[in-house]
């Protein structure tokens, strides 16, 4: 059965602000990812948490569950175990994944089920009107123009996901940007194709609560990672550049140490070997 | 004169093999057709501290161990004194002890010092088997010499310890040969069929599997872990899904995920874990996802006393969680009931697309009984989800308002029926809705769909003379002791006892029972009388209603309850 | 003829400056001495969608906005239709609108198309200030031309937008100059003192600080975040501790930590966050750690409708959590009450070493009122922990059984008074204890220590004729509308109204009130009648007791309540 | 005021099994750490979770709180913020810290308050009678002699703590063993002295639920890390050995990648610079 792009949208009108980066993700999913991989809509399940980004399931005509804050990845795993033939996609915000939901991630990584997590990183708690999130860039009070309420350093989602993956060597970790839907579409396809747990961080502007400088900076400093090509490091880096090899977790750890605010890297950070079979879990 | 029921106590330190002795005795007796019920007690030590069991063997049916044992085997008086309230001595108790008691302790008349260790050494060269020696002696005293003993020892996995130690057992049988122990001998079992030995936690797991549960997610917690253990052992062979998760929030998330994808899913926990499940309970209720949680209650609040029973989670089971998230609350009162009620619970969860909370407790969950296996062999009709008829394609409304308020449910993966769930207030399509009318309508739907359960008379049992105006209402494992106390006092004709296994929503049969009484006693093991207050909140109670309630930490005894029970019957 | 109270509605899209218009009007009027109450409504859009306010201005005291506004300013009819239930038109409504209404919509007689944008453009070159133009016009219609307006505009931070736009305001005042708008003019304010403008969330934060709260931990959640915001702004200057934590479990952990180290600590959240706090609530109760949680209720269950009020967390506040963890539950019913009750809550938490849950709700929390500032200036006695006397050194017993069941409490860091807390059942020293007697004793301690609160008559208000036998019981913000409805119907002498601000444990004054009635109405905004059932569970109610309860999502209106209120008064 | 060792014990008898590794930790605290640093008992607060190890506060005559499972680190932070003069020590099991409590750790690291966490890693849920914990070594079913119920790879506490610390560069991370109380005492002293968040993993035998081989293996393969000396890597390692420098987070990340079952390293893995002032938090 062929699916047209329109097939993947419900009749529900998004509640997002005009210009919100979430529109980019929505169209990447409904126009690229699902039709591109030819996934029939009943074979996909989109699970989200709570946040602006997490409103997305109502707009996608696959099975969907806009669940509760921080727990989407647990629900997704349960569904995948029960029906391995489903393509399971988890969508949530930076708060969802790395604040209230942070405790579920190391365990999801080691279970290594074949699900794909998409973290909509807009560096802010948007739905609740602009509080700092765990990824809000760290600036001392008054030091910078924006987000000055953040007093402790941000968590580093990519580094954390990589460190969780050291034992399994089996995850897929990537970063895209909502404003480049072409690359994002490709990254998401790779992530879904990867047999095992995948995590994609999507840098996403929140036009209402992010200071515009934040995303301007990100877009300006962003560099693409390409397999087999030399990694462009920021000038401040003391490291000697190396050839990007997403199979090498040691190099991936070094990549993840590059500060996002100095140089946001877009591409596949790490792609491990195949995971355990899903059956492993129930054979317990 | 042989007895129809004898209670045996054993006390010592963990290393003495106290629980093993009790278990072996229970199994041996089960092969002769005896019913039995074993209670276990531990001191504060994590392992190897004071341990005791109290065990009734009964020729006619499962009965509770008497408050004081008829026979006490004591390996260590110092440890005994840490648990003496659980195996108190009566003047008639026959005491078989290994080492001399401390000077302060006055023993009953029929007390005998027996060197179990020495006998073990003589038979095997080591004193490791002193508990088997004691078993031999007790076995003789009880007259447990039926023809099936050797078959049992050869074939029963649970008795394999005896297989290598038949000589030790026999050595025990010869001890104190010169003494007479009249009155300890058991009558022959009325029904000689071999009894099945299991505890409530095992029964819960097996009942759930019987009902078709194929997804279990858990996190260790005392006293519920045995359910997880059993599921971990059995599910793989049934092609089911099992995960020990990182916490109880994840447990519920995993289970909801499995449920929306079409598996009958459940979990089991105890108080602290139930607290953590609160937010997910609300989600299950709001999104109408079938789910079963078994809560094996222990003493609260907070960490409380993890190893002891209480019935204090009822409030949370009924009322827990913000907003109004209707759910079903059930409570078995005995081990076969644990099995049956799990079948019911899984059925109800599916049929009504609802959350069901089953309240067990530590002593029901961990206490081994030997019972007739009829409940295992019975036929149980299973219920499945109400399914979309097929005509919906294109405009399937997951939360369609129907006459019975239950909407046909598709599960993730089915063609032509995609839909979107949410914990937000939503319309029939499942799409977010922020208006009052939809909010009210969906509340009505979720509450009303459960109302037919109130008519399920079979989920309420009434014992005794239905025509008398004196009644006792009790729930969960307390019911066992209430019933025993009524029997013990010979008041079966004076007072009737109502034990609802469905607690919420409140069955009509309970209301009828209350209306039919002019004097009522409510018995439960918690401090504030949660069930009593729940009843009051729903209906008028007789003016003469008394509550007998106290915190947990010690089982109710016949003696303790005889006051209030006599009072209500008067 | 001037009115003592006028209701103004404004509707449009977020970008139209709807809320700003309401706020400016409220502040301007406050400077003239007018009381006011503003309700805000949003459509589903996250930002910039349909928005409305309904605002009462009153010369005599705070009153609720009327169900339909006397004046409606409409910037955008399409958006209006998304929120029309919140600002419905009455035949008498004066409508001032910018663009022609859609054909289907019939406007009241006195409707005027006014080009606010054009007037703004003429005054400033941009249409950004069309809301200020409208403000000018409304100001004139209301006769709000008191002498303090220019002082206000010069000095009030909240009016700084007007400072640069005096010309625009004046342009607005000149519009529709040829028409007469009799009956819209406000009487002079009775008491000309400048009113303070704030919402319940701000009042909560300020009350807590007044009571000495110096540690706040929070996690963002609608509709409670403003409390966190206010604390984040104010605590640093007071040398207090503030952390936005990673989740609500951490919030409670941080707060308990600060409390045992001697700071008065609190948090604020809404339903889903309260669920996550459940396990920690039990720990606070068990270990007797002072703690205050403010729950700003929204529609449940689960995520529900985050931006709308409901009173459906009462069950969880009273009964939530496994085991039996006594706590205090309070509920303010108006904005000054939020302030006062936080002082009480912090005092009670300290004095009784208890968890206090304060139930506010979305409209109380987020609705701005202009009120007399007397409550801010009042003297409030503060309570501190009952302290060890000094003689304990060496054998300090943290959980000493005393006559009033409250044990002297030392905080971590004090010399000579080290002790160990635990959520396990524990003895007077705080050491783990696994026996029934201690369990029962400590339950008794934790329950009994709160009993004196039942005698706090001051925490229950009774309005109307105390001698009549007809009563209404209600709680939280619903009380405002019940009281208004009684007044509106002129039934003050026919029916009395009882509003407990202490809900649990149940005050004796509520019992006396119920006993003094022969006909009773209970009003609350939840589906199942939680307060009603809670009352039933505690005491006998008159045979003629009615419940008026429904889910949230829309405020009660006078019209809606007039039926049941008239009925009970009859 | 001088404190004798005995001063730090309460009259409560430990419930632990004979031979349990927790006794080693208890005596290290009451005989070495507190008297060694001369901390008056009322100036110390020990907060624990739930588990065998978490029973410890009842045995130590400082202020103590045996709280609930997985949350001790949150309570500890609240107390430290309220009374910065307290020495705050958190004690918990591997389940406590890395299963149910995992979500609190990245946030505790970035707040970087001056508290010391001691993870009693016995590789098992001991109190609940022997279930697998997140640190239980990974063996496929039937592959090894012990703990064969573990189907997914263990989390790696040291690596995770290090990756959380990359942004702050301010934590102290070490590993000791309960059977060498001399080194353990020194490590704990260093940890408490460190101004900022410290995390010490203590390899601890559970004589009841661990298979004896597990701890025999650990003891046999353990190697000590010493600043300025060359790191002894396991034979399987392809890395060239380097000189141990606990100030270098890059080297620390490499250290943490050495598999615990191949070569348990004992010593200070990382010691970052001073943290933010505690005041930073309330200045928010
Ligand atoms: C238990 C709980 N706590 C708090 C909230 C309130 N809440 C809703 S969304 C959100 C965070 C939103 O931030 P993020 O996850 O980054 O998503 P975004 O809106 O930025 O896409 C919070 C705290 C909630 N819904 N549930
Ligand atoms: C919320 C909650 N879930 C489960 C438990 C049961 N429980 C008690 S201790 C424990 C884990 C013990 O393992 P660990 O943290 O490694 O400590 P150990 O006993 O090994 O020292 C668990 C799951 C609990 N107390 N609370
Ligand atoms: S607030 Fe930000 S994230 Fe949310 S919809 Fe608007 S732009 Fe998007
Ligand atoms: S079970 Fe293990 S960890 Fe617990 S006390 Fe015994 S030896 Fe120690
Ligand atoms: Mg975000
Ligand atoms: Mg452990």
């Amino acid at each position: 059965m062929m699916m047209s792009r329109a097939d993947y949208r419900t009749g529900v009108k998004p509640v997002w602000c005009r210009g919100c980066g979430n529109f980019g993700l929505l169209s990447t999913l409904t126009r690229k990812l699902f039709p591109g991989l030819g996934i029939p809509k009943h074979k996909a399940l989109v699970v989200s948490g709570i946040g602006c980004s997490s409103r997305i399931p109502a707009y996608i005509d696959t099975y969907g569950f806009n669940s509760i804050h921080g727990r989407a990845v647990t629900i997704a795993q349960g569904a995948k175990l029960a029906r391995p033939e489903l393509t399971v996609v988890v969508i949530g915000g930076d708060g969802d994944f790395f604040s209230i939901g942070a405790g579920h991630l190391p365990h999801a990584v080691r279970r290594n089920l074949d699900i794909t997590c998409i973290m909509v990183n807009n560096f802010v708690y948007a739905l609740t009107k602009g509080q700092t999130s765990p990824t809000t860039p760290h600036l001392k009070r008054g030091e910078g123009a924006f987000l000055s309420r953040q007093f402790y350093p941000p968590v580093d989602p990519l580094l954390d996901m990589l460190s969780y993956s050291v034992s399994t060597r089996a995850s897929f970790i990537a970063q895209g940007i909502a404003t480049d839907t072409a690359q994002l579409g490709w990254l998401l396809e790779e992530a879904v194709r990867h047999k095992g747990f995948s995590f994609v961080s999507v840098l996403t502007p929140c036009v209402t609560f992010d200071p515009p400088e934040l995303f301007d900076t990100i877009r300006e400093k962003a560099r693409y990672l390409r397999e087999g090509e030399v990694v462009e490091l920021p000038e401040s880096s003391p490291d000697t550049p190396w050839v990007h090899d997403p199979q090498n977790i040691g190099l991936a750890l070094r990549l993840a140490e590059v500060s996002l605010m100095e140089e946001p890297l877009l591409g596949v950070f790490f792609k491990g070997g195949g995971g355990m079979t899903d059956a492993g879990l129930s054979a317990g | 004169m042989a007895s129809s029921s004898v209670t045996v106590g054993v006390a010592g330190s963990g290393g003495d093999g106290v629980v093993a002795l009790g278990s072996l005795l229970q199994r041996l007796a089960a092969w002769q057709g005896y019913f039995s019920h074993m209670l276990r007690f531990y001191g504060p030590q994590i392992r190897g501290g004071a341990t005791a069991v109290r065990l009734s063997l009964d020729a006619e049916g499962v009965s509770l161990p008497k408050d004081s044992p008829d026979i006490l085997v004591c390996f260590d008086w110092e440890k005994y004194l840490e648990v003496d309230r659980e195996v108190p001595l009566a003047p008639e108790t026959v005491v078989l002890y290994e080492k001399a008691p401390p000077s302060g302790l006055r023993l009953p008349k029929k007390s005998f010092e027996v060197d179990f260790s020495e006998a073990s050494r003589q038979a095997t060269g080591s004193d490791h088997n002193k508990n088997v020696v004691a078993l031999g002696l007790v076995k003789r005293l009880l007259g447990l010499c039926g023809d099936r003993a050797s078959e049992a020892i050869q074939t029963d996995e649970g008795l394999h310890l005896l297989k290598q130690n038949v000589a030790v057992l026999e050595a025990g049988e010869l001890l104190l040969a010169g003494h007479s122990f009249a009155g300890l001998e058991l009558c022959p079992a009325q029904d000689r069929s071999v009894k099945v030995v299991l505890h409530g936690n095992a029964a819960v797991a097996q009942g759930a599997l019987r009902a078709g549960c194929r997804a279990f997610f858990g996190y260790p917690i005392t006293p519920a872990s045995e359910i997880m253990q059993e599921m971990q052992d059995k599910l793989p062979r049934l092609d089911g899904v099992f995960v020990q998760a990182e916490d109880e929030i994840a447990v519920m998330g995993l289970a909801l995920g499995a449920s929306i994808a079409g598996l009958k899913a459940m979990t089991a926990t105890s108080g602290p874990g139930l607290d953590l499940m609160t937010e997910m309970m609300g989600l299950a209720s709001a999104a109408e996802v079938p789910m079963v949680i078994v809560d094996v209650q222990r003493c609260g609040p907070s960490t409380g006393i993890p190893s002891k029973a209480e019935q204090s989670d009822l409030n949370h089971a009924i009322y827990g969680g913000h907003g109004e998230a209707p759910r079903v609350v059930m409570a078995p009162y005995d081990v076969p009931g644990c099995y049956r009620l799990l079948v019911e619970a899984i059925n109800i969860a599916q049929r009504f697309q609802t959350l069901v909370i089953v309240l067990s407790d530590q002593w029901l969950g961990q206490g081994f009984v030997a019972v007739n296996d009829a409940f295992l062999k019975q036929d149980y009709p299973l219920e499945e989800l109400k399914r979309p008829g097929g005509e919906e394609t294109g405009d399937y409304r997951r939360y369609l308002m129907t006459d019975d308020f239950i909407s046909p449910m598709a599960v993730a993966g089915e063609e032509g029926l995609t839909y979107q769930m949410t914990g937000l207030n939503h319309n029939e399509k499942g799409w977010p809705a922020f208006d009052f009318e939809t909010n009210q309508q969906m509340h009505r739907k979720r509450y009303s769909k459960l109302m037919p359960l109130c008519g399920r008379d079979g989920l309420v049992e009434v014992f005794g003379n239905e025509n008398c105006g004196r009644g006792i209402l009790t729930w969960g494992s307390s019911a066992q002791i209430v019933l025993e106390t009524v029997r013990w006092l010979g008041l079966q004709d004076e007072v009737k006892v109502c034990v609802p296994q469905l607690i919420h929503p409140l069955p009509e049969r309970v209301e009828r029972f209350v209306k039919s009484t002019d004097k009522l006693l409510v018995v439960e093991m918690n401090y504030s009388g949660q069930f009593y207050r729940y009843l009051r909140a729903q209906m008028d109670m007789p003016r003469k209603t008394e509550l007998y309630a106290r915190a947990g930490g010690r089982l109710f005894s016949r003696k303790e309850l005889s006051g209030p029970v006599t009072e209500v019957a008067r």
Side-chain angles (χ1 to χ4, degrees), chain B residues 80-329:
Chain B
Y80 170 82
L81 290 175
E82 290 184 36
V83 289
D84 60 342
R85 316 246 5 193
E86 314 295 358
V87 278
L89 294 171
E92 323 75 61
T93 306
V94 171
V95 184
L96 310 167
Y97 62 95
E98 184 154 84
K99 281 165 228 141
S103 53
L105 194 75
R106 278 198 43 208
L107 295 186
K109 259 196 295 205
K110 284 188 264 170
S111 296
F112 304 89
E113 184 164 340
V114 188
D115 200 336
F116 299 120
S117 299
E118 179 54 28
S120 169
R121 270 191 299 274
Q122 284 188 5
T124 66
S126 113
D127 56 6
H128 266 24
N129 291 306
K130 64 181 171 201
N131 59 342
V132 179
V133 173
L135 175 64
L137 176 53
V138 170
K139 180 169 171 288
R140 193 193 86 228
L141 267 48
L142 299 174
L144 274 187
C145 4
D147 43 6
R148 288 206 193 121
S150 41
E151 184 195 345
I153 293 172
Q154 289 314 312
T155 59
D156 187 335
E157 259 292 316
L159 290 172
H160 81 275
L161 183 70
L162 294 185
K163 217 159 148 181
Q164 312 132 27
N165 289 301
V166 177
V168 192
L169 194 70
E170 285 166 359
E173 290 185 32
L174 299 175
L175 294 171
L176 298 183
H179 295 77
S180 103
F181 294 94
L184 290 182
E185 201 166 315
L186 277 166
C187 313
Q190 264 186 0
D191 142 23
R192 309 253 355 254
S193 70
V194 177
K195 301 296 173 285
V196 50
V197 181
L198 80 176
H199 52 38
N201 282 345
V204 157
Q206 291 171 25
L209 294 173
R210 175 65 168 268
C213 170
R214 288 299 176 270
F216 185 96
F217 305 93
Y219 188 69
I221 191 163
T222 305
S225 300
E226 293 84 2
I227 300 175
M228 179 170 92
Q229 189 63 52
E230 188 95 6
M231 287 303 214
Q232 182 168 28
D233 290 347
K234 303 229 160 113
L235 269 174
R237 279 174 258 155
L238 297 166
D239 231 5
V241 174
F242 172 91
V243 175
Q244 180 188 313
E246 60 270 26
D247 64 22
E248 289 87 350
I249 300 177
V251 159
M252 278 293 281
L254 285 155
L256 290 184
S259 186
I260 61 170
L263 293 189
K264 294 182 180 177
M266 72 172 287
T267 185
T269 187
S270 190
L274 192 67
D275 287 358
L276 287 176
M277 293 177 181
T278 306
E279 193 191 6
M280 282 280 183
M281 283 162 41
L283 180 62
S285 183
E288 303 191 50
V289 181
M291 179 56 43
V292 174
I293 302 173
V294 178
D295 171 22
V296 187
Q297 297 167 99
R298 60 193 222 186
C299 295
S302 198
T303 313
I305 312 179
S307 58
K308 293 191 176 168
E310 200 169 69
Q311 299 182 284
S312 53
D313 297 354
L314 181 66
N315 274 344
H316 192 71
I318 297 174
Y319 302 114
H322 79 281
E324 307 191 276
R327 79 283 312 255
V328 175
V329 181

Side-chain angles (χ1 to χ4, degrees), chain B residues 372-393:
Chain B
N372 260 323
D373 61 359
F375 69 98
L376 295 172
K377 296 180 172 158
Q378 204 179 311
D379 202 40
Y380 294 95
L382 300 190
E383 305 230 28
E384 306 298 332
L385 286 177
K386 178 173 177 178
R387 309 277 307 128
E391 65 285 356
E392 298 84 352
T393 310

Side-chain angles (χ1 to χ4, degrees), chain A residues 76-86, chain B residues 215 217 241 257-263:
Chain A
Q77 290 172 87
K80 182 71 186 179
L81 282 165
R83 286 229 173 189
E85 74 270 26
L86 286 174
Chain B
F217 305 93
V241 174
S259 186
I260 61 170
L263 293 189

Side-chain angles (χ1 to χ4, degrees), chain A residues 61-64 66 111 282, chain B residues 232 240 242 246 414 418 420-421:
Chain A
D61 188 14
T62 60
Y63 284 94
N66 174 191
R111 265 173 225 134
S282 57
Chain B
Q232 182 168 28
F242 172 91
E246 60 270 26
E414 290 185 79
T418 52
Q420 295 80 41
M421 288 158 270

Side-chain angles (χ1 to χ4, degrees), chain B residues 316-358:
Chain B
H316 192 71
I318 297 174
Y319 302 114
H322 79 281
E324 307 191 276
R327 79 283 312 255
V328 175
V329 181
M330 312 182 84
Y333 68 89
D334 64 2
V335 170
C338 288
Y339 185 94
R340 281 194 214 101
L341 218 60
L342 257 289
V343 177
E344 287 285 4
I346 302 261
N347 276 346
I348 290 172
Q350 294 292 314
R351 168 134 170 59
F352 295 93
Q353 298 170 28
T354 185
L355 168 67
V356 181
I357 300 176
V358 178

